[in-house]
Amino acid sequence: MKENGMTVALLAASVRGMAARGLDTGRFCREAGLDPELLRRGDARIAHEEMARLMDEAARFAGDPLFGLHQGAAMELADLGVAGYVVQHCATAGEAVQAMNKYHEMICSGYELKAAPAENGLTELRFRLNDPALEASRHCTEDMVASLCRSLLRLVGRPVELAGVSFRHAPAADPERYRDVFGLTPEFEAAEDAIRLPAEVLDWPVLARDERLRQEFQALADRMLDSLAKGQETTRELTRYLLERTGAAPPALPAAARALGMSARSLQARLQREGATFAGVAAEMRRKLALRYLAKQELSVAEVAYLLHFSEPSAFHGAFKRWTGMTPGQYRSSLALEAGQAGG
């Protein structure tokens, strides 16, 4: 599914959290370049890059390097909208986790939440980016992991003793400060963003569940999820236009808007409603073309950089590393390794 960014409800919850701390949210909006009217539009989406920027701005404004972590620890299921109401009326904690994964696209696209068995009678709940083009935000990741722990506690109505927490990023403060939220010190710079807990927790019943309400909210959530999948017309139109011009220099926003029969402001607004930006769509197209071109061994890396209209190969190397975590050479080596394994 095309990435749809994040629901504005998450941003609104962060702003409410700032207000609860006694911070001047009006001043924050002005300094961060955030239109307060956006927070009142329940159907709006925030592009991943913009949400990451605003969370960084919020951490700076609040003077809290662990802003995302603390925001997640205070999260309420109502902050997740309809998806949250489905979750709180599931029969067991395990069903609630499945519902979180199913409707995660409505909350924050690009991620998936999966439960996997671990040793010693444990289960691991893993957050994973399913698109290498997205760059994980530390604040957003810590928010999601902390909010999952908070949700499980609220759902089952009794303490959940974690066996471990891991993050792929480095700690933003003294690691011991994370103990207040998780009851233990996480492992940092790990292979996964995950929590580990006793497998039996997923069988624990959810308190105050209502099967009739679950069915009603689930039907509504399914319709919204289907609508979200279809609501990408402008993004698709822009992508097609950019693909048609891959042989020429990448067009600027005003030229693209004129070609699509609208003003630059209208194009930006429509893309924002779909959780996208002009720069993000253009970068995603270049990324996919880069993967396609690099699979053709007859093209040198310099030729691929030229085809994608980078000023020089080093600029292409830097962009590709941001997109995939690998250099073009490393990516080609991984393709050769996969081909060799398949042949073997």
Side-chain angles (χ1 to χ4, degrees), residues 10 41 68 81 85 97-98 101 124 157 218 248 272 281 302 307 331 342 344:
L10 295 180
R41 290 181 42 218
Y85 293 123
V97 169
Q98 292 175 359
N101 187 51
E124 189 169 70
Q218 184 168 311
Q272 185 180 46
V281 173
L307 288 171
Y331 176 71

Side-chain angles (χ1 to χ4, degrees), residues 13 40 42 44 50 56 78 84 88 108 117 139 142 178 188 190-191 213 216 219 224 229 250 254 279 315 340:
R40 303 183 184 96
E50 179 65 0
D56 286 341
Q88 73 183 48
C108 174
H139 285 297
E142 292 185 358
Y178 290 78
F188 291 94
L213 287 177
E216 291 183 4
M224 293 176 65

Side-chain angles (χ1 to χ4, degrees), residues 7-341:
T7 172
V8 75
L10 295 180
L11 179 58
S14 295
V15 174
R16 287 197 300 273
M18 296 172 72
R21 298 187 188 195
L23 298 173
D24 185 343
T25 56
R27 179 183 157 208
F28 166 72
C29 289
R30 290 192 298 274
E31 292 186 2
L34 171 62
D35 182 359
E37 188 61 32
L38 179 66
L39 302 175
R40 303 183 184 96
R41 290 181 42 218
D43 62 337
R45 308 288 296 183
I46 304 293
H48 284 277
E49 299 86 350
E50 179 65 0
M51 186 68 172
R53 183 188 73 81
L54 289 169
M55 290 292 277
D56 286 341
E57 287 291 323
R60 178 197 59 77
F61 189 82
D64 181 4
L66 300 179
F67 180 84
L69 178 76
H70 294 145
Q71 182 61 34
M75 191 275 294
E76 300 292 343
L77 284 168
D79 293 335
L80 305 182
V82 175
Y85 293 123
V86 174
V87 167
Q88 73 183 48
H89 290 296
C90 288
T92 65
E95 286 187 15
V97 169
Q98 292 175 359
M100 287 181 191
N101 187 51
K102 177 179 179 181
Y103 298 113
H104 212 271
E105 187 73 19
M106 295 167 55
I107 304 164
C108 174
S109 73
Y111 283 85
E112 63 178 1
L113 170 63
K114 289 294 180 68
E119 57 187 15
N120 300 323
L122 300 177
T123 287
E124 189 169 70
L125 302 180
R126 302 170 181 162
F127 280 100
R128 287 183 176 175
L129 276 169
N130 55 27
D131 189 334
L134 295 177
E135 185 174 349
S137 159
R138 177 180 61 80
H139 285 297
C140 292
T141 299
E142 292 185 358
D143 187 333
M144 285 189 289
V145 175
S147 65
L148 174 60
C149 296
R150 163 82 169 179
S151 296
L152 289 173
L153 174 64
R154 297 297 297 271
L155 287 169
V156 300
R158 50 175 159 159
V160 177
E161 187 172 346
L162 302 180
V165 177
S166 60
F167 290 110
R168 291 185 300 155
H169 55 257
D174 182 350
E176 285 297 309
R177 291 183 58 184
Y178 290 78
R179 183 178 289 273
D180 292 338
V181 173
F182 299 118
L184 49 77
T185 303
E187 175 189 1
F188 291 94
E189 299 181 281
E192 301 276 359
D193 295 314
I195 66 172
R196 287 170 292 284
L197 68 168
E200 65 181 26
V201 171
L202 297 186
D203 295 325
W204 289 359
V206 172
L207 300 181
R209 63 190 181 275
D210 186 315
E211 177 60 19
R212 180 184 60 82
L213 287 177
R214 184 195 66 79
Q215 291 181 11
E216 291 183 4
F217 284 126
Q218 184 168 311
L220 177 57
D222 286 341
R223 290 196 298 272
M224 293 176 65
L225 192 62
D226 183 60
S227 176
L228 186 62
K230 294 176 180 176
Q232 295 294 314
E233 289 80 4
T234 302
T235 301
R236 283 194 291 266
E237 283 186 49
L238 176 59
T239 301
R240 282 195 296 268
Y241 169 72
L242 294 175
L243 284 171
E244 290 170 357
R245 294 184 55 83
T246 53
L253 171 63
R258 285 195 300 271
L260 298 179
M262 64 186 81
S263 68
R265 184 183 294 273
S266 294
L267 177 56
Q268 287 176 310
R270 292 188 186 188
L271 290 172
Q272 185 180 46
R273 285 196 293 269
E274 296 179 5
T277 64
F278 179 80
V281 173
E284 172 65 3
M285 186 201 69
R286 283 177 121 186
R287 182 189 73 86
K288 290 181 177 179
L289 287 174
L291 297 177
R292 187 187 307 171
Y293 290 153
L294 288 171
K296 300 178 183 293
Q297 295 295 327
E298 65 271 20
L299 293 175
S300 69
V301 172
E303 287 172 326
V304 173
Y306 172 78
L307 288 171
L308 294 174
H309 299 282
F310 281 91
S311 58
E312 54 188 22
S314 61
F316 171 55
H317 275 256
F320 194 82
K321 184 73 178 291
R322 289 194 303 273
W323 294 336
T324 67
M326 295 183 284
T327 65
Q330 290 170 333
Y331 176 71
R332 277 191 158 165
S333 296
S334 70
L335 291 180
L337 179 62
E338 290 176 6
Q341 291 174 339

